[in-house]
Amino acid sequence: MRDNPQARVADLIFGRWKSRILYAGVKLGMIDALEAGAKPAGTLAQELALDPAMSYRLLRAMASLGLLAELPDRVFALTPEGRTLLTSHPQSLRAVALLQEGPEHTAIWKHLPEIVRQGPPD
């Protein structure tokens, strides 16, 4: 990817959906629910009162980012990267993930083109 400008730019374009997937998994409690070990997607959805089909899709998306590992029979486990988002992790990035993709922070970036065009608000 390093020598492919289109791939690098595509990664920048789609970076937002990656951080939104990470945010959703943390915000919904999926990461912390897997702290004790692997669980089936259906069990996780039931424990967290989530829609089973949509939960499975989000879990697969988190696995595609390397935060989870999908095992046979729709069972998911944390990867070392996913563990860094646990509330209990000594160097947890959970709060950073929630802040960066939370509504307060994303609202600021939404207005970047206007701020650059017009200058900061008075």
Side-chain angles (χ1 to χ4, degrees):
M1 183 164 92
R2 191 157 237 238
D3 296 327
N4 184 335
Q6 283 83 8
R8 287 197 317 270
V9 172
D11 192 50
L12 292 171
I13 292 168
F14 293 108
R16 175 76 182 193
W17 71 261
K18 293 174 184 179
S19 61
R20 293 305 295 176
I21 288 167
L22 185 153
Y23 173 80
V26 170
K27 182 81 173 171
L28 293 170
M30 291 177 153
I31 297 289
D32 281 337
L34 291 169
E35 183 173 15
K39 291 183 184 178
T43 301
L44 252 168
Q46 186 175 18
E47 287 177 3
L48 299 173
L50 303 171
D51 178 79
M54 294 306 294
S55 295
Y56 178 61
R57 291 180 74 172
L58 181 57
L59 290 163
R60 291 206 53 184
M62 289 192 295
S64 78
L65 297 177
L67 301 171
L68 303 178
E70 184 174 7
L71 308 172
D73 299 320
R74 294 185 171 195
V75 172
F76 289 86
L78 289 171
T79 62
E81 290 82 0
R83 290 197 164 283
T84 66
L85 296 165
L86 288 168
T87 303
S88 65
H89 191 282
Q91 296 168 328
S92 180
L93 294 171
R94 182 181 188 279
V96 175
L98 292 173
L99 174 67
Q100 286 299 111
E101 282 300 315
E104 301 84 6
H105 198 265
T106 56
I108 295 167
W109 290 102
K110 178 172 64 174
H111 301 290
L112 183 60
E114 290 82 15
I115 291 170
V116 172
R117 185 178 294 117
Q118 300 170 3
D122 295 333

